[in-house]
Amino acid sequence: MTSLEFTDQVQKISYSLKPVAMNLTRDADDAKDLVQETLLKAMLNKDKFKAGTNLKAWLYTIMRNTFINNYNKITKRNSNIDSTEYFQYFNTNENYITHNGATSDFVVTDINEAIAGLSAEYRTPFMMYYIGYKYLEIAEKLQIPIGTVKNRIHIARKELKQALKTYAPGV
């Protein structure tokens, strides 16, 4: 299809784009802008259109994707919450903050006891993973298959979750 034929066909179909754009945007000016942007993208990407396929559907797809992208940009731009008005109620005076070290000491003690309660075959890969080793590194150091490493870490997490369920919120 030549460039002239493509332009002629797009021009004929362009009149049917306006009602669809109006349905998407619900605003006459936005609909005109959407049609123009669709036609511009079609002209810039005419080499991507395959002759013999449905040109009208191709244009509708461009229009729909353009509308969705514009909508996402607008909602992302407007979704920032201005929280400055809430900071006036936020008390940052250090005199009003208390630290209860006893509670955190109990939690840390319970976590350490739970980890110590794991069998060595689960505790070792779990602690290596916790320290920062990757699965493959653990498998090489312990000379076991990587699937076994993943399984043992999973079981260790499961056992720790069960042992520390008193600290789970809402459970």
Side-chain angles (χ1 to χ4, degrees):
M1 174 182 299
T2 65
S3 184
L4 188 59
E5 291 172 340
F6 179 81
T7 305
D8 186 46
Q9 286 185 6
V10 167
Q11 187 176 12
K12 288 177 186 175
I13 296 172
S14 67
Y15 297 108
S16 66
L17 295 176
K18 177 82 187 236
V20 177
M22 190 65 186
N23 191 22
L24 288 171
T25 62
R26 309 263 190 241
D27 182 67
D29 291 333
D30 289 341
K32 287 179 186 176
D33 291 343
L34 182 59
V35 169
Q36 284 181 347
E37 195 170 349
T38 301
L39 294 174
L40 176 65
K41 286 182 179 182
M43 292 304 189
L44 292 174
N45 295 300
K46 64 185 166 197
D47 56 314
K48 294 179 183 172
F49 176 73
K50 294 181 177 119
T53 59
N54 190 346
L55 179 62
K56 193 174 192 179
W58 187 68
L59 291 171
Y60 284 159
T61 302
I62 292 172
M63 180 183 291
R64 187 194 63 210
N65 291 341
T66 302
F67 173 75
I68 291 170
N69 290 339
N70 289 342
Y71 178 80
N72 287 338
K73 283 180 193 174
I74 290 169
T75 55
K76 187 181 281 188
R77 192 178 322 136
N78 292 338
S79 65
N80 295 338
I81 299 172
D82 183 20
S83 57
T84 54
E85 65 185 51
Y86 299 109
F87 286 136
Q88 64 186 344
Y89 302 111
F90 185 69
N91 192 352
T92 57
N93 189 341
E94 288 294 322
N95 295 331
Y96 296 110
I97 298 174
T98 61
H99 297 283
N100 187 351
T103 304
S104 63
D105 288 344
F106 284 126
V107 173
V108 169
T109 302
D110 288 348
I111 291 172
N112 287 334
E113 287 176 3
I115 291 172
L118 293 171
S119 66
E121 70 177 337
Y122 298 126
R123 184 177 53 245
T124 303
F126 175 79
M127 290 307 296
M128 290 176 76
Y129 182 77
Y130 176 75
I131 291 170
Y133 285 93
K134 305 288 184 220
Y135 291 128
L136 189 59
E137 294 172 328
I138 298 169
E140 289 172 357
K141 286 213 185 261
L142 298 179
Q143 296 177 348
I144 56 177
I146 193 167
T148 305
V149 170
K150 291 179 180 181
N151 186 39
R152 288 181 182 176
I153 292 171
H154 172 74
I155 291 171
R157 286 178 176 165
K158 204 169 165 182
E159 288 183 13
L160 289 173
K161 186 177 179 181
Q162 181 63 31
L164 299 169
K165 67 181 175 187
T166 57
Y167 296 106
V171 177

